[in-house]
Amino acid sequence: MDGLEFRLLGPVGVWDAGRRLGPATAQQRTVLAILLLEAGRPVPVTRLVSALWGAESPESARNAVQGHISRLRRLLAPYEEAELVTTAHGYCLTVARDRIDLFRFRELVRAAGSAGGESGAGFDGGAERAAGLLRAALALWQGTAPLADVAGRWLPDVVVPGIEEERLTALERRLALDLRHGRHQEAAAELTALVGEHPLRERLVSLLMTALLRCDRRTEALAVFRRVRRGFAEELGIEPGEELQRLHQAILAGRDTTTAPAGVVAVPRHLPPDTELFTAREEELAALDRLTLPAPDSAATHAMASCVITGTGGVGKTTLAVHWAHRVSDRFPDGQLYVNLQGYGPTHIARPPGEAVRLFLDALGVPSELVGATLEAQVGLYRSLLAERRMLILLDNALDSDQVRPLLPNAPGCLALITSRAELTGLVAAEGARTLSLGLFSPEQSRLLLTRRLGVDKVDAEPRAVDDIVSRCAGLPLALAIVAARAQTRSSFPLKALISGLDHAEGEGNAGPRGDGGLDVFDGGDASTNMRTVLSWSYRALTPDAARLFRLRGLLPAPEISTAAAASLAQIPVPQAHRLLTELTRASLAVERTPGRYGQHDLLRAYAEELTRLHDSGAERHEALHRLLDHYLHSACLGDRLLDLYHRVPLTPTPPRPGVVVSRITDRAQSEAWFGREHRTLLAAIRHAARLGFDRHAWQLAGACWGFLSQEGRSDDQAAVHHIALEAATRLDDPAAQAHAHVGLAQALIRLGQDATSEAHLRAALDLFGGQNDAVGQAICLIYRSVIEDRRGRYDEGLRLSDQALRLCRAAGDRAGEGRVLNNIGWFHAQLGAYGEALSRCQEALAIHREIDDLPGESATLDSLGHIHHLLGQYEQAITYYRRSLAWRRGGKRALGARTLRRLGEAQLAAGRPREGRSTLQRALALTAELAPGDADALRARLADLDEPTD
């Protein structure tokens, strides 16, 4: 074809005008192959790592993958036909599928099926077209081995066998057409070689025997059978399948019988009943609809790819599949087949594919005497019967790809819809299946489900109880349906009473796997509607190590966990933690929300917590939680030391427990990124540590998070964790810890506009620091008290407090504090009208900041200089200083930036730039309302004044 071309059917690579461009190494070819197999869909980094290194990936695996991606980007950069991008879920290569030889092969094979003529005895125009399309498809293969030069074992072991099967199936179809066209000699020669390569592949043997018979080589045909029969006996200990046995008998009798059973015309309608009150899932239904609709420019019969619906237990996979199947049943006039493959269930004994195929053959009306003894013969007959039909095959509750693969139709008019808790990546990669990941309900969808099941009146009568139910059910449809069913059967009960059992689960030690609280409220009366039982089906499929990690994950009620945190929790190496988290993700017991970060819904965590209390000793749980808290504390302390902070809480945590992994944070940008990812989990860890008696972790974690929370303006969070820190420090009877907790709380309360309460905390901290002879701590208290006095307009008192703070900083040799306080003194002099003294003190401060490379201090002083020039009526100079101040503000200093923005806006207004000034004030208001809501009202009023008409 013209332009860029990607090849997988042989050596992997990128070609342009017949010239191979690369990639140069086997590992890069592996990465490219996986991206091409998932073209247009994000590929998680974890899958690339697993494909390259398997279970023993090195610590540098992710960096290596990034390097391969970078080199592939450079390779593809000159070409508009392909784009390799990074997404929240991994890497995505966007390229038209007709530029990938594997997808062109599949499309040609599907088109051959759509051309018709592959059944019956004659060779009409449809058969000729089908044969030509199959030849064109097979001509795309560069030799016989796909993915011939990749690294790692995953592609050769998992993907290649499926692709090879596609080639052999297409080859068999083309050879069968050749025989119908009368090309017996050519077919016999080709088939002899193929049977030599695949001596136990019964379809090829059958075709060879037929070709030899039609070449009047009956003796050779019988000899082939004897040789094959001997091979089956020696290698497998069984007889050939019934298809070959019947052909053998037909040749002995001088007959040529190669047609499928006649008279089989059953139209099965085997779908389970639809759910009358099906709720939401409009987007998912639309996605399924698109599977059965032909492309607008397609005149041929639409070939439908299989679709795998994945998701955690109880999320509604079967409900969605059955509802959609009923909705589109008219698109499949030849019937719908359904089987529960029992991949996840009470016994966890999955239904064998052979049993499912026989159920389907029964449904299609095939007499038992015509059903072959081997799975291969049964699958061949099943697919032959579907060849000319339009049928929907719903394969529910699949365990893995191997269970599903024999049940897939090869007819263009048939669609296989599969549900599974596992991702079934083998089907996606080898068979081109599409995936539809089913997520949790939104709060609005959850309320809609309750309304549809309970009625508008009952839901409207108890809005708070409904909100509580929605929150506790965590968006899981099964949990919502169970609570709704309980409400319907206990119609006289208020809704709140129905879920009161959950309140007992929130305290330590109150919930048991079969006891009060926990998941008992989510019991619908049988195994399929008991939340605990449903989740257990996924849990029991895990390996022991993954099961242990899943249980221990229940120890911390946090939204998500990183690979390093999981390794610390379970006391295992990071690569092993990565593998186990991948296993949990594939089992839908975790979700990789961003690369390397894994979350789970609240009911899964509650179930994990129950399990860990049942299976893990109290000592093991305590040690695991201690390691996890050590991970967060030591990582946060490392990150905190890299932030640009004047006041840092002096933290000396005890050495981490053996097995704790400390995150790699080497610069300020990495620190801010780490805190940004972890801050919600850190807040949960602080609360949980205090609740369970880890008081030292609680107050020190709050201290390590202070800098990030402060500079990001997360004042509510800062206040909450420092309340907890203060209580923990009080229990420890640690005066220094109490003092720092008072100050952290006070700073947050100042930003929240609670000056009086903040001042009380600062006075308490001042006394505690005095008792510790901590001059720097005392200075910090005085600095924050001066901020309060500034807000009150008491500039003389603010100046007095600042002078005291300056003496303390100089006595302690605290140059950074000295520079900060000199800036404040300059500010207060400016407010009192002493502009010369103000400029002098601020210039002193600026010199100190530059001497010690204190960029945040320099930024604050530039802001003060801008303010002084503004008061002097030197507006353009003020604007210049304000802009320099904002330029020095790094991304993390958003709270201080809001203040400078407001002053810049006022300077622009004063300088006669009304449009610029108003725009800047609006930006300042947006930031202030987010970060310091206590200061937002005054700014809103100022903007309202600007909108007032003038006389």
Side-chain angles (χ1 to χ4, degrees):
M1 66 180 304
D2 294 335
L4 209 60
E5 179 185 3
F6 296 87
R7 295 183 186 176
L8 298 171
L9 303 180
V12 173
V14 185
W15 270 257
D16 183 20
R19 180 174 61 90
R20 186 174 185 177
L21 305 177
T25 70
Q27 287 197 337
Q28 289 175 40
R29 290 191 287 272
T30 295
V31 173
L32 175 62
I34 295 172
L35 293 173
L36 290 172
L37 289 167
E38 297 278 1
R41 291 191 290 258
V43 177
V45 178
T46 52
R47 188 182 302 171
L48 296 172
V49 171
S50 296
L52 284 167
W53 291 283
E56 301 298 330
S57 58
E59 291 188 5
S60 61
R62 285 178 174 266
N63 290 335
V65 168
Q66 291 172 0
H68 296 323
I69 291 293
S70 296
R71 285 183 280 275
L72 287 174
R73 279 204 181 105
R74 287 197 295 272
L75 176 67
L76 299 174
Y79 300 94
E80 296 180 355
E81 298 95 326
E83 182 181 20
L84 177 52
V85 299
T86 303
T87 74
H89 304 290
Y91 300 109
C92 180
L93 177 57
T94 302
V95 59
R97 292 199 166 200
D98 62 1
R99 294 189 177 277
I100 305 171
D101 59 358
L102 174 60
F103 293 106
R104 291 210 308 279
F105 167 80
R106 287 173 175 165
E107 186 53 40
L108 288 166
V109 170
R110 291 189 182 114
S114 302
E118 289 196 54
S119 62
F123 193 82
D124 56 16
E128 188 169 358
R129 285 195 301 276
L133 289 166
L134 290 169
R135 285 193 185 88
L138 292 164
L140 294 172
W141 288 69
Q142 309 296 312
T144 58
L147 309 176
D149 52 356
V150 296
R153 294 307 314 161
W154 187 77
L155 285 171
D157 293 346
V158 176
V159 178
V160 167
I163 300 177
E164 286 277 21
E165 177 63 28
E166 290 184 70
R167 182 185 74 88
L168 287 171
T169 300
L171 193 54
E172 289 166 348
R173 289 170 60 186
R174 195 264 296 164
L175 287 163
L177 288 169
D178 285 350
L179 289 177
R180 286 174 51 197
H181 192 260
R183 301 189 182 100
H184 307 142
Q185 296 286 358
E186 299 90 333
E190 189 173 355
L191 282 161
T192 299
L194 287 168
V195 169
E197 296 172 14
H198 308 279
L200 301 183
R201 190 174 179 91
E202 294 191 56
R203 180 58 176 157
L204 286 176
V205 174
S206 174
L207 290 169
L208 174 57
M209 290 171 63
T210 302
L212 292 171
L213 178 63
R214 293 179 181 177
C215 291
D216 295 326
R217 295 159 65 181
R218 179 169 173 269
T219 302
E220 292 177 59
L222 293 171
V224 168
F225 178 80
R226 289 193 298 272
R227 187 166 60 250
V228 170
R229 185 177 190 179
R230 186 166 55 251
F232 269 87
E234 291 174 353
E235 295 193 30
L236 305 176
I238 60 174
E239 287 287 317
E242 291 193 18
E243 179 183 351
L244 274 184
Q245 299 274 15
R246 285 196 300 270
L247 179 56
H248 178 233
Q249 293 299 321
I251 294 173
L252 288 172
R255 300 193 309 271
D256 178 4
T257 172
T258 57
T259 59
V264 182
V265 293
V267 179
R269 307 288 183 188
H270 284 199
L271 294 175
D274 194 6
T275 302
E276 181 182 356
L277 298 175
F278 183 85
T279 304
R281 303 296 192 198
E282 289 83 3
E283 292 183 8
E284 291 84 355
L285 289 169
L288 291 171
D289 282 339
R290 288 192 290 272
L291 293 178
T292 61
L293 297 176
D297 58 349
S298 174
T301 302
H302 180 56
M304 293 172 281
S306 302
C307 180
V308 183
I309 302 175
T310 63
T312 190
V315 81
K317 301 179 294 295
T318 300
T319 300
L320 171 67
V322 170
H323 177 74
W324 182 78
H326 278 284
R327 197 170 83 162
V328 300
S329 59
D330 59 319
R331 302 180 195 173
F332 301 95
D334 295 314
Q336 302 88 41
L337 296 173
Y338 170 87
V339 65
N340 181 355
L341 294 174
Q342 301 172 358
Y344 300 87
T347 63
H348 203 66
I349 299 176
R351 189 189 296 274
E355 183 180 327
V357 170
R358 287 192 294 274
L359 288 173
F360 286 168
L361 292 175
D362 288 343
L364 292 166
V366 179
S368 58
E369 63 271 15
L370 296 180
V371 177
T374 66
L375 176 60
E376 185 174 6
Q378 293 162 9
V379 170
L381 179 57
Y382 159 66
R383 288 175 173 164
S384 297
L385 294 171
L386 298 185
E388 301 299 325
R389 300 189 181 200
R390 289 189 63 82
M391 296 188 70
L392 174 65
I393 296 92
L394 178 47
L395 307 174
D396 191 21
N397 196 13
L399 178 65
D400 54 31
S401 299
D402 289 338
Q403 187 190 24
V404 169
R405 194 169 279 115
L407 306 176
L408 299 179
N410 61 358
C414 295
L415 171 68
L417 187 60
I418 304 136
T419 72
S420 180
R421 299 188 190 185
E423 292 183 338
L424 305 189
T425 53
L427 287 186
V428 175
E431 272 73 31
R434 304 180 189 182
T435 58
L436 178 62
S437 180
L438 209 55
L440 301 171
F441 270 4
S442 66
E444 293 73 20
Q445 291 171 322
S446 298
R447 291 187 184 90
L448 177 61
L449 184 149
L450 293 173
T451 301
R452 296 198 65 184
R453 292 183 179 241
L454 300 179
V456 175
D457 293 342
K458 193 169 185 68
V459 169
D460 288 349
E462 298 184 67
R464 290 187 179 178
V466 170
D467 289 343
D468 197 18
I469 291 171
V470 167
S471 174
R472 294 174 187 270
C473 289
L476 201 64
L478 177 59
L480 291 160
I482 292 170
V483 173
R486 287 167 63 92
Q488 288 172 321
T489 57
R490 298 165 176 81
S491 57
S492 62
F493 286 24
L495 291 179
K496 186 168 181 59
L498 297 173
I499 58 167
S500 60
L502 281 176
D503 295 326
H504 304 299
E506 295 182 355
E508 174 74 11
N510 290 338
R514 291 288 183 272
D516 350 324
L519 300 175
D520 289 341
V521 70
F522 300 114
D523 185 352
D526 59 49
S528 64
T529 56
N530 180 297
M531 199 70 246
R532 183 183 291 109
T533 302
V534 169
L535 296 178
S536 75
W537 298 339
S538 292
Y539 171 75
R540 284 157 50 193
L542 298 173
T543 61
D545 286 345
R548 175 175 176 267
L549 178 57
F550 174 75
R551 295 194 306 269
L552 294 178
R553 173 62 181 89
L555 294 174
L556 180 67
E560 58 187 26
I561 193 169
S562 68
T563 307
S568 303
L569 179 67
Q571 201 175 10
I572 56 178
V574 169
Q576 184 182 0
H578 166 66
R579 292 193 297 274
L580 297 182
L581 288 166
T582 300
E583 182 179 345
L584 293 179
T585 301
R586 288 174 176 166
S588 293
L589 291 173
V591 177
E592 190 175 15
R593 291 174 176 160
T594 57
R597 300 191 62 77
Y598 299 83
Q600 57 182 192
H601 61 71
D602 291 343
L603 295 182
L604 274 176
R605 198 204 64 79
Y607 178 57
E609 186 179 13
E610 287 188 356
L611 290 174
T612 193
R613 296 187 193 288
L614 179 65
H615 296 288
D616 305 311
S617 69
E620 184 175 3
R621 297 198 304 272
H622 184 275
E623 282 299 306
L625 186 56
H626 199 302
R627 288 192 300 270
L628 183 61
L629 293 173
D630 274 359
H631 160 76
Y632 288 122
L633 176 58
H634 285 269
S635 299
C637 287
L638 176 60
D640 182 59
R641 288 195 290 271
L642 295 167
L643 297 178
D644 290 329
L645 306 173
Y646 160 51
H647 174 59
R648 175 173 288 109
V649 180
L651 297 171
T652 54
T654 57
R657 284 284 206 273
V660 171
V661 178
V662 179
S663 296
R664 295 176 180 174
I665 307 172
T666 59
D667 58 34
R668 180 179 175 278
Q670 288 184 358
S671 173
E672 289 186 344
W674 185 86
F675 276 113
R677 291 191 301 270
E678 296 286 1
H679 81 272
R680 291 175 61 208
T681 301
L682 291 169
L683 301 182
I686 292 167
R687 288 191 293 268
H688 204 54
R691 187 160 55 241
L692 298 186
F694 290 88
D695 287 328
R696 193 162 301 280
H697 283 90
W699 92 258
Q700 290 185 338
L701 262 175
C705 293
W706 177 359
F708 172 78
L709 295 174
S710 172
Q711 70 178 25
E712 284 294 300
R714 299 179 185 273
S715 303
D716 287 324
D717 290 339
Q718 185 181 340
V721 299
H722 280 84
H723 268 301
I724 295 170
L726 183 57
E727 292 171 355
T730 301
R731 287 192 294 270
L732 291 168
D733 194 22
D734 185 335
Q738 293 173 46
H740 287 292
H742 275 299
V743 175
L745 181 54
Q747 186 204 24
L749 293 175
I750 288 173
R751 287 187 178 164
L752 292 172
Q754 301 176 33
D755 290 353
T757 308
S758 175
E759 189 170 26
H761 284 290
L762 290 171
R763 290 183 184 278
L766 187 63
D767 290 341
L768 289 165
F769 282 129
Q772 301 290 309
N773 293 318
D774 186 340
V776 174
Q778 294 176 74
I780 288 292
C781 294
L782 294 172
I783 289 172
Y784 283 127
R785 284 184 59 195
S786 74
V787 171
I788 295 174
E789 298 302 337
D790 180 46
R791 287 157 64 110
R792 292 170 174 168
R794 297 171 55 179
Y795 306 123
D796 285 323
E797 180 63 13
L799 183 58
R800 184 186 70 80
L801 292 170
S802 297
D803 284 335
Q804 289 182 12
L806 181 62
R807 288 194 292 274
L808 287 166
C809 288
R810 285 175 170 168
D814 179 11
R815 290 287 280 167
E818 182 182 357
R820 300 296 177 107
V821 177
L822 281 169
N823 173 52
N824 290 354
I825 291 172
W827 172 269
F828 284 117
H829 278 302
Q831 301 303 97
L832 293 167
Y835 301 129
E837 184 69 14
L839 287 171
S840 174
R841 289 306 183 103
C842 285
Q843 290 294 346
E844 284 184 65
L846 194 61
I848 292 175
H849 296 319
R850 288 173 174 170
E851 170 196 329
I852 62 176
D853 197 28
D854 181 359
L855 295 181
E858 182 174 351
S859 176
T861 302
L862 289 169
D863 173 86
S864 296
L865 287 166
H867 182 64
I868 296 167
H869 284 286
H870 189 159
L871 294 175
L872 289 168
Q874 299 166 353
Y875 303 127
E876 293 299 333
Q877 286 176 275
I879 290 170
T880 298
Y881 275 114
Y882 286 139
R883 284 179 171 161
R884 287 172 60 193
S885 173
L886 288 169
W888 280 119
R889 300 240 188 257
R890 291 175 169 174
K893 303 298 185 291
R894 299 168 65 226
L896 300 179
R899 183 187 66 186
T900 303
L901 273 174
R902 177 174 182 177
R903 291 178 187 145
L904 173 60
E906 294 291 354
Q908 288 168 331
L909 291 171
R913 305 182 192 180
R915 182 175 298 177
E916 284 183 58
R918 197 178 193 291
S919 174
T920 302
L921 289 178
Q922 286 172 334
R923 288 165 54 204
L925 176 59
L927 205 52
T928 302
E930 176 190 353
L931 305 176
D935 297 335
D937 288 341
L939 189 49
R940 288 192 187 93
R942 173 65 173 133
L943 281 165
D945 289 342
L946 293 177
D947 290 335
E948 289 292 325
T950 57
D951 295 331

